[in-house]
Amino acid sequence: MIAALDVQYADEKQQATAAAVVFREWSAASSIAEHTILCEHVQPYVPGEFFRRELPCLLAVLKETQSPLEAILIDGFVDLGDRPGLGRHLWDALANQTPIIGVAKTAFHGAAPVSILRGESQSPLFITTVGIEAALAAAYIRQMAGPYRIPDLLRRVDQLARQPNPTPQ
């Protein structure tokens, strides 16, 4: 199984909603499970330390998914050039057991992603990885269901994270 994760914040409340969409194969058109949780007491945003804010939420929603997972997709970068990004911190927190694929919508100066185009979009997605070759991960993202730049299941996890009333954690 594969899980796509996302987090959305309500800064005025120091809360976040973490979401996971679990699916069986890269070309799946629908999920087999979906989870949302409310994360309380979220750390404030600190430039260069985004992982401190988001990592606890990702780990909490991962507890809701069945293991083992073949791979985990995150919205963002695994590495930020010469320093670890959110994906690398997640990899470390999971004892380097599950490949992490970062799918970012904007470039990050210093990162070395594989850029891919999907659908008719001329705007690339930026793929970074740990535990799996970037070219293979990029091929997987290309084959994900959906006619647009953002694969359908990545859109779905984003929608879930934006919905009100997640399960309190």
Side-chain angles (χ1 to χ4, degrees):
M1 290 189 285
I2 305 153
L5 311 178
D6 202 0
V7 179
Q8 294 293 322
Y9 300 95
D11 285 328
E12 65 279 357
K13 298 180 182 177
Q14 290 188 317
Q15 294 177 332
T17 300
V21 170
V22 180
F23 49 103
R24 290 192 198 283
E25 56 193 36
W26 292 103
S27 61
S30 61
S31 62
I32 59 169
E34 297 180 346
H35 307 280
T36 58
I37 61 163
L38 180 65
C39 299
E40 302 276 5
H41 312 293
V42 175
Q43 297 289 318
Y45 173 74
V46 176
E49 295 186 2
F50 180 66
F51 71 94
R52 292 189 193 283
R53 180 177 206 200
E54 190 147 327
L55 184 61
C57 298
L58 295 179
L59 292 171
V61 78
L62 274 173
K63 289 180 183 175
E64 303 295 316
T65 65
Q66 290 183 344
S67 357
L69 294 170
E70 174 185 331
I72 297 170
L73 285 78
I74 62 163
D75 179 9
F77 285 87
V78 169
D79 289 306
L80 302 169
D82 61 348
R83 67 183 196 269
L86 176 62
R88 180 70 63 171
H89 288 285
L90 180 58
W91 166 258
D92 291 343
L94 298 175
N96 306 341
Q97 296 295 310
T98 306
I100 309 295
I101 301 170
V103 181
K105 295 177 263 326
T106 57
F108 184 87
H109 182 72
V114 171
S115 300
I116 64 168
L117 295 174
R118 282 183 39 94
E120 296 180 18
S121 177
Q122 294 306 304
S123 296
L125 292 173
F126 303 96
I127 311 302
T128 54
T129 65
V130 63
I132 182 174
E133 277 211 35
L136 179 59
Y140 287 150
I141 302 304
R142 272 192 204 97
Q143 68 180 266
M144 288 182 76
Y148 302 110
R149 176 181 181 227
I150 309 298
D152 289 350
L153 291 175
L154 296 184
R155 281 182 187 276
R156 178 65 184 145
V157 75
D158 177 74
Q159 291 169 346
L160 276 177
R162 293 175 188 274
Q163 289 182 351
N165 304 320
T167 305
Q169 193 63 39

